[in-house]
């Protein structure tokens, strides 16, 4: 189970720093007292445990925080910090139990809500996680990670507008959060706002120059915005760092194709295929580039290979139909265009009509299976 400790435990410690400073002042006075009340014992043990947690001495933190809880079981802060300590020790169920108790005692314990949300998310309890992130966001700008995390959940559900709004909140909370800009850019790209996406990816890269995913995604946004020269520059830079990325090679091939550099596109698709021979998209796209170069035999072969890898690849049937038409294989071309239309590409029907293809033969209904006799020894293979 992966838990993002940087958000959960450090956020908890930051949120409680002011409270801890006050507690330390109080406990300094308590050291001179002859007898301490349970509340005073709890405050003293909590201050000691929080200091140990911040020093990453988790064993000592656990001891002191447990002492605080024993002294005053209805005192919320030690539960939250002990939960964060359990997180650091990867004791997730124990952490969840302590977060539950902290929130029960103090419903507006935003740091504990944020920590519990992350455990829920890791356990696949996404509805519960989203509720806790929403509550944690009420804590103000200190809880920017809650905006970010809820935005990620919404993005994963395809709620791109709502996700973008959440990433807006994360950015307002922290203008230096490169990942929030990155994710807002991705939401913008899904919404078709390619210029805004490009600007956000650029900001993410300014904040974190080694964030290669932002470079790759900016290239895609620029390509979709028609900024092919800028897109190709980003793909070139990315591929210098990641030369064996078949997806990036294919995407650069697409940009080269759109820039009418068909030989360059073939080179990229070929390299992608050499890295992943089962990459149907690269085979199909190379077929399309071969068509532009009037290399019809190669186009037919590549489209056929794409179809062998994905029998429902409509675009590959369409491309193979074009190649076969140019190779004077009219009957085969008609079959391919009909298949493309059957798989959802209306252009297949249009090409078939223009070429005067006969109507496709109806698919025969499947006959009921005949009853079979049990196999004899002689009949077994």
């Amino acid at each position: 189970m992966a838990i993002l400790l940087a958000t959960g435990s450090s956020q908890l410690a930051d949120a409680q720093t002011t409270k801890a400073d006050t507690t330390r002042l109080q406990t300094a006075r308590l050291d001179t007292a002859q007898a301490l009340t349970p509340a005073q014992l709890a405050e003293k043990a909590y201050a000691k445990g929080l200091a140990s947690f911040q020093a990453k001495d988790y064993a000592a933190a656990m001891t002191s925080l447990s002492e605080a809880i024993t002294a005053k079981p209805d005192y919320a802060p030690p539960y939250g910090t002990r939960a964060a300590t359990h997180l650091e020790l990867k004791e997730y169920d124990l952490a969840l139990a302590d977060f539950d108790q902290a929130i029960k005692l103090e419903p507006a314990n935003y740091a504990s809500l944020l920590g519990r949300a992350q455990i829920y998310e890791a356990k696949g309890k996404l509805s519960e996680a989203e509720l806790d992130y929403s509550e944690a966001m009420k804590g103000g700008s200190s809880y920017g990670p809650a905006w970010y995390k809820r935005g990620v959940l919404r993005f994963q559900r395809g709620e791109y507008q709502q996700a973008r709004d959440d990433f807006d909140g994360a950015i307002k909370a922290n203008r230096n959060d490169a990942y929030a800009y990155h994710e807002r850019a991705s939401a913008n790209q899904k919404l078709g706002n390619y210029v805004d996406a490009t600007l956000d990816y650029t900001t993410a890269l300014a904040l974190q120059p080694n964030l290669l995913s932002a470079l790759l995604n900016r290239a895609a946004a620029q390509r979709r915005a028609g900024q092919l020269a800028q897109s190709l520059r980003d793909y070139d830079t990315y591929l210098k760092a990641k030369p064996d990325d078949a997806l990036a090679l294919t995407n650069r091939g697409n940009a080269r194709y759109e820039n009418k550099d068909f030989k360059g596109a073939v080179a990229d698709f070929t390299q992608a295929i050499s890295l992943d021979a089962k990459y149907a998209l690269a085979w199909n796209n190379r077929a399309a580039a071969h068509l532009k170069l009037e290399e019809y035999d190669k186009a037919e072969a590549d489209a056929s290979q794409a179809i062998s890898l994905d029998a429902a690849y409509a675009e590959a049937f369409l491309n193979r139909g074009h190649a076969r038409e140019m190779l004077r294989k009219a009957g085969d071309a008609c079959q391919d265009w009909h298949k493309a239309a059957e798989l959802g590409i209306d252009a297949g029907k249009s090409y078939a009509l223009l070429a005067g293809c006969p109507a496709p033969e109806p698919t025969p209904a499947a006959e009921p299976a005949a009853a079979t006799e049990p196999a004899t020894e002689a009949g077994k293979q």
Side-chain angles (χ1 to χ4, degrees), residues 41-216:
L41 285 169
E43 288 176 358
K44 183 176 180 179
Y46 170 61
K48 185 177 179 181
L50 183 59
S52 296
F53 174 84
Q54 292 170 335
K56 301 186 185 301
D57 185 351
Y58 301 125
M62 192 70 71
T63 298
S64 296
L65 294 167
S66 296
E67 289 174 358
I69 290 167
T70 300
K72 196 172 190 304
D74 61 349
Y75 183 36
Y79 288 101
T81 306
R82 192 172 72 172
T85 307
H86 283 307
L87 277 180
E88 294 288 352
L89 297 173
K90 298 181 171 54
E91 298 167 348
Y92 302 121
D93 289 335
L94 293 173
L96 184 60
D98 274 349
F99 280 137
D100 284 343
Q101 187 62 19
I103 295 163
K104 180 180 179 181
L105 292 169
E106 188 180 301
N109 190 328
Y110 303 118
S112 291
L113 284 161
L114 182 58
R116 187 173 72 176
Q118 291 180 91
I119 297 178
Y120 279 147
E121 184 176 353
K123 287 178 170 290
K125 297 182 177 180
L126 302 185
S127 297
E128 293 91 335
E130 185 167 354
L131 285 173
D132 275 357
Y133 286 135
S134 298
E135 287 299 309
M137 286 158 53
K138 296 176 182 177
S141 61
S142 296
Y143 295 91
W147 290 89
Y148 176 88
K149 295 290 287 182
R150 191 179 74 172
V152 170
L153 291 178
R154 290 177 163 182
F155 185 94
Q156 291 170 344
R157 288 202 304 267
E159 298 171 357
Y160 303 121
Q161 181 64 57
Q162 295 92 326
R164 186 179 68 177
D165 293 343
D166 278 351
F167 297 133
D168 282 345
I171 290 167
K172 288 176 183 176
N174 181 5
R175 296 285 179 182
N176 294 317
D177 188 344
Y179 292 99
Y181 284 102
H182 183 284
E183 298 308 322
R184 188 173 72 175
S186 297
N188 272 318
Q189 188 159 199
K190 289 291 188 180
L191 292 166
N193 302 327
Y194 302 122
V195 174
D196 288 344
T198 297
L199 291 172
D200 274 348
Y201 286 132
T202 299
T203 302
L205 285 164
L207 291 168
Q208 193 165 328
N210 294 326
L211 190 57
L212 289 177
S213 59
L215 187 65
L216 181 63

Side-chain angles (χ1 to χ4, degrees), residues 243-307:
D244 294 336
D245 189 328
L247 174 60
L249 283 162
T250 300
N251 286 337
R252 186 175 70 177
N254 292 337
R256 285 178 165 175
Y257 179 96
E258 291 168 14
N259 205 36
K260 301 189 186 309
D261 177 11
F262 303 120
K263 289 185 178 180
V266 167
D268 276 347
F269 297 139
T270 300
Q271 191 173 348
I273 290 166
S274 72
L275 293 167
D276 183 359
K278 295 183 178 180
Y279 195 5
L281 177 65
W283 285 101
N284 174 69
N285 290 7
R286 192 172 72 172
H290 281 311
L291 282 173
K292 291 293 187 180
L293 294 169
E294 300 181 1
E295 297 169 346
Y296 303 120
D297 286 328
K298 293 178 180 179
E300 181 187 26
D302 278 356
S304 295
Q305 183 62 27
I307 291 165

Side-chain angles (χ1 to χ4, degrees), residues 307-328:
I307 291 165
S308 73
L309 293 167
D310 181 356
Y313 201 157
E315 290 83 357
F317 281 104
L318 192 71
N319 284 330
R320 191 171 70 175
H322 293 323
R324 286 176 165 177
E325 179 190 34
M326 300 308 295
L327 292 169
R328 303 295 186 266

Side-chain angles (χ1 to χ4, degrees), residues 26-27 29-46 67-68 70-75:
Q26 293 170 341
T27 54
R29 299 189 188 99
L30 293 174
D31 287 338
T32 61
Q34 293 297 317
L36 302 180
T37 66
Q40 291 169 332
L41 285 169
E43 288 176 358
K44 183 176 180 179
Y46 170 61
E67 289 174 358
T70 300
K72 196 172 190 304
D74 61 349
Y75 183 36

